[in-house]
Amino acid sequence: MRRDPASEVPDFDGLWDRIAADVVSNHRAEATLWNGRIDYLPADREQSVRGQATADGRLLLSRPLVVEPLRRLYAEGPRALSDPKFAQVCWRGIKTAAHEFGHLTAPADWTLADRIRDLDREEQDPAEEGFIEALTQVEMPGLVDRVLPAELAGPLARGVAAGPEPLLPSYPGWTSAVGMFSAELAAEFEELRAIDVLRAGARESASRRPEALARLIIDQTRLPELVQDPRRKAALRTDLGRALADGFASLGDLPTARTAGRQRGQEIAAGAIEKVRTGEQFFAQMADFGGLVFDRGIAPVAGPTQGASGNDQTKPGGRPADRLPRGKDEPGGRG
């Protein structure tokens, strides 16, 4: 897909096409729902919002916060970047476009109708915004090198580094939670990289994200070889996916709280890890007993909920081992 010449926002020598293509590539996405249009945000929102991906596949950008700084950058060249504050404004403008294009990545068979249905799920906002922003933050240095002319890319990076303060991500609480979640999984599973977790969460649509993350986690364990029944495999993914969805939905109250976000991201990862490790142990024991297939009421979907004594397995503080924190009133939540 290429920029529609009828777009309100100028082309800047193919900048938007390059950003769109780079986002699809870096997300490892199959397709984009971008319809080629890039227009301006309404005047009553252009000072408070930098960008938006619309339900009909357009990109809307703020004229004063995104487009005009980039127009000046292309007009004046590297000398404009001698001002670190202006360099940071340009960096944010490019990041805004990349972030919004990220909202439009999709599976090959996805349609705008599918996207509109997903946009109605407010509980998905923390994961949607968090994964896309976290991945965009990581990819920005390379993206800038690839989408800008060499005479602008280097000076822009140096100007940003010389800025008076580091650039913070959008939705810092959600982004911190996702970053910690990804780092914890990478630390637990030797062959899993944090960037792989970010990509899996960023490229998927809201309704498919939880199970995609569940599949990624389960594939790092022995569960695929221990569990042969296709229905039980599907149940494992669904169960873990539901727990992940609930965990990220519980972040809705802290879009800007970075410290609390990191803590909650760590808790979501810990809950997921405990689920699959408990499942591994349970199904390995089944294999040791000759691969007996127990009744569903006895053999839990994702590992045992009771020990040999019949007591619930709990973590310190009394929380069931296979649950994720759902809100600030539960142990480990925000105080």
Side-chain angles (χ1 to χ4, degrees), residues 149-204:
E151 64 270 19
L152 295 179
L156 176 59
R158 291 191 292 273
V160 169
E165 296 179 356
L167 290 175
L168 294 177
S170 303
Y171 311 102
W174 295 345
T175 304
S176 297
V178 165
M180 181 60 74
F181 171 78
S182 303
E184 290 291 300
L185 292 181
E188 174 71 18
F189 302 111
E190 184 176 351
E191 297 185 3
L192 183 63
R193 301 177 302 166
I195 190 71
D196 297 325
V197 181
L198 294 179
R199 284 172 174 155
R203 68 171 169 257
E204 287 291 350

Side-chain angles (χ1 to χ4, degrees), residues 65-84:
L65 301 181
V66 174
V67 180
E68 289 307 319
L70 292 176
R71 188 197 304 273
R72 177 187 163 193
L73 174 63
Y74 270 82
E76 298 182 12
R79 70 176 184 274
L81 297 169
S82 60
D83 177 2

Side-chain angles (χ1 to χ4, degrees), residues 27 102 105 127-132 135 178 181-182 194-206 208-210 212-213 216:
H27 283 220
T105 58
E128 174 82 6
E129 299 293 353
F131 274 101
I132 290 174
L135 180 59
V178 165
F181 171 78
S182 303
I195 190 71
D196 297 325
V197 181
L198 294 179
R199 284 172 174 155
R203 68 171 169 257
E204 287 291 350
S205 59
R208 293 167 50 134
R209 181 178 297 111
L213 290 170
L216 180 69

Side-chain angles (χ1 to χ4, degrees), residues 274-289:
E274 184 164 3
K275 257 187 181 298
V276 294
R277 292 307 191 199
T278 302
E280 275 185 316
Q281 182 181 22
F282 177 78
F283 288 108
Q285 290 173 346
M286 285 179 61
D288 289 342
F289 281 102

